[in-house]
Amino acid sequence: MKIIKSIKGMKDILPKKSFIWQYIENKIKIILYKYSYLEIRTPIIEKTKLFNISLGKTTDLINKEMYTFKDKKNNSLTLRPENTTSIIRCILENNIFFKNKKQKFWYFGPMFRYENTQNGRYRQFYQFGVETFNMSGPDIDSEIILITNRIFNILGIKKYITLEINTLGNKKSRIIYANILFKYLKKYKNYLNKNIFYKLYKNPLRLLDNKKNNIKYIFNNTPKIISCIDIDSIKHFEYLKNILNFTNINYKINTNLVRGLDYYSRTVFEWTTIFLGSQNTICAGGRYDYLIKYLIGKNIPAIGFAIGIERIILLLEKIKKLPINIKFKINILFIIISNEKYLKINSIKIAEKIRNELPNLILKINFCNKSLKKQLSEANNKGIYIILIYGINEQKKNKITIKYLYKRKKQNLLKLKNLIKELKLIFYHESNYFNYW
Ligand code: ATP
Ligand code: MG
């Protein structure tokens, strides 16, 4: 049979890499908990209607990128292209604001977008994200930026990325600016393709988000949004910059920075890098004070961000800082040298007993029929400490053979009770093995 391959833009993560993923995930999770953010997990499929309402009519996400399909009852469902919408659905549905109005959450998981795939741009990709609710001040804006800063510091990529910030003002500022931008960009309409032209009429702010280099020059001299920003939003922005200055966070003001979705206001930010070509954003965030009001009429200010994990890994690879030393180390290899049924059952029992007594160790049983010699030679060079051997001879004597690979000590034949004592002596320092991740 011809092998059926995976879907374009969707990648397998093989064991060597999955260790790196786990390492990164754990580092990020720990930081989020330390800032007192709690995890929310939502389903990866939602009703299409939910995204249609929340994501805005003129975004690429809605128009081109959604994986939408019908279920058996003809309901239209969509694989989530982002998680902010689902988190809002979840907190509203579960009445989370009932007890505490101020909330800080994080999520992690795959998102799905039907995009043109490239290095760093996939159709299934993973995001770590944060969403906070009911806090309108610049203090929370600064906190989530500080979190991203700490995450990138811990992951060792801080030197290779830049924080860009901007303010989009309130709703009115956006409308005024959109008009000014429209008038300016209309002059270039002959240079714009059909798709871009459509956006110019529907939502000119989105054009600033353009990734195509050939028309980037048009945007260099566009009127800047700052002249349209309302006074309260300016104060908000100044206050945020103040906190960032006092906490030693370097940033660049990018007046062309807008977010892809329509519901953002005031603070927007991105962490970008020059090392990944046009997939240069590794984290994007911003304030979306109007979204929940738009959805259910309640005034609930919110701000969040999302980090693209694939791009972090690509960047780590590029700057040669991938933590490749995270090796999975088997502590004990258990070799069975017989295919006899009761001997095998006995071996499994012994292995389980060892796992009960030494729960931090990694013990692998070889369920293969290879000769002892072959299994021993395979075990060499793998950093294995101890080999246990159980065959007919051992079964008869009710003992187990222990071989020491890490020092010149002669192999021994031990009763199970003594073997466990011996292993506890050898591995006493391994009690924190998993903290290593
Ligand atoms: P881009 O401008 O690169 O398309 P975006 O503005 O669509 O990104 P967001 O929706 O804000 O991105 O998602 C936040 C982060 O998620 C991005 O900064 C990026 O790191 C990552 N990301 C977004 N789309 C993809 C994708 N198709 N493949 C891999 N990572 C992605
Ligand atoms: Mg995109």
Side-chain angles (χ1 to χ4, degrees), residues 268-284:
V268 284
F269 66 95
E270 286 189 354
W271 285 92
T272 58
T273 174
I274 52 167
F275 293 89
L276 296 181
S278 56
Q279 274 53 260
N280 60 353
T281 309
I282 60 162
C283 167

Side-chain angles (χ1 to χ4, degrees), residues 251-418:
Y251 57 85
K252 216 174 86 184
I253 294 173
N254 174 357
T255 50
N256 276 1
L257 182 65
V258 297
R259 300 291 317 124
L261 304 176
D262 292 344
Y263 50 66
Y264 284 94
S265 59
R266 292 198 170 168
T267 309
V268 284
F269 66 95
E270 286 189 354
W271 285 92
T272 58
T273 174
I274 52 167
F275 293 89
L276 296 181
S278 56
Q279 274 53 260
N280 60 353
T281 309
I282 60 162
C283 167
R287 189 161 266 292
Y288 49 98
D289 289 348
Y290 299 113
L291 180 62
I292 301 177
K293 182 153 196 173
Y294 172 65
L295 293 177
I296 57 156
K298 274 192 187 151
N299 206 3
I300 298 174
I303 183 165
F305 66 75
I307 299 174
I309 302 301
E310 285 81 357
R311 292 193 192 167
I312 296 227
I313 290 174
L314 281 175
L315 178 59
L316 284 166
E317 260 166 10
K318 193 82 184 210
I319 61 176
K320 303 203 162 35
K321 290 253 166 97
L322 210 59
I324 38 176
N325 291 332
I326 315 166
K327 273 200 188 126
F328 178 68
K329 195 175 67 179
I330 293 165
N331 305 120
I332 302 174
L333 179 67
F334 196 123
I335 294 176
I336 309 169
I337 31 171
S338 163
N339 238 345
E340 199 272 318
K341 185 175 160 191
Y342 288 102
L343 191 144
K344 221 170 217 175
I345 292 174
N346 245 344
S347 315
I348 294 171
K349 260 174 69 183
I350 293 166
E352 284 303 291
K353 179 84 182 151
I354 296 171
R355 288 185 176 117
N356 290 344
E357 296 281 339
L358 294 117
N360 287 317
L361 293 190
I362 298 175
L363 184 154
K364 178 183 175 185
I365 301 188
N366 265 4
F367 291 119
C368 62
N369 291 325
K370 287 182 185 164
S371 70
L372 176 63
K373 204 171 148 200
K374 199 149 193 183
Q375 292 194 58
L376 286 176
S377 76
E378 278 175 13
N380 275 331
N381 308 323
K382 286 209 174 135
I384 294 169
Y385 265 50
I386 294 293
I387 292 188
L388 302 179
I389 302 164
Y390 195 72
I392 292 165
N393 185 31
E394 283 81 4
Q395 192 182 32
K396 262 191 208 149
K397 293 184 176 152
N398 203 13
K399 287 181 174 175
I400 301 124
T401 298
I402 178 168
K403 260 176 101 55
Y404 304 83
L405 294 196
Y406 69 108
K407 60 180 179 183
R408 285 174 198 274
K409 189 171 170 186
K410 264 181 78 183
Q411 72 173 56
N412 206 350
L413 200 61
L414 296 175
K415 283 244 182 247
L416 180 59
K417 213 170 86 192
N418 294 334

Side-chain angles (χ1 to χ4, degrees), residues 45-73:
I45 306 178
E46 298 276 1
K47 293 177 183 161
T48 307
K49 203 160 60 180
L50 181 72
F51 297 112
N52 282 344
I53 295 171
S54 75
L55 294 183
K57 291 187 187 66
T58 54
T59 59
D60 284 348
L61 263 188
I62 283 287
N63 292 331
K64 294 189 292 204
E65 296 176 359
M66 292 216 301
Y67 274 92
T68 295
F69 54 92
K70 291 272 166 78
D71 74 2
K72 291 189 197 306
K73 289 229 162 107

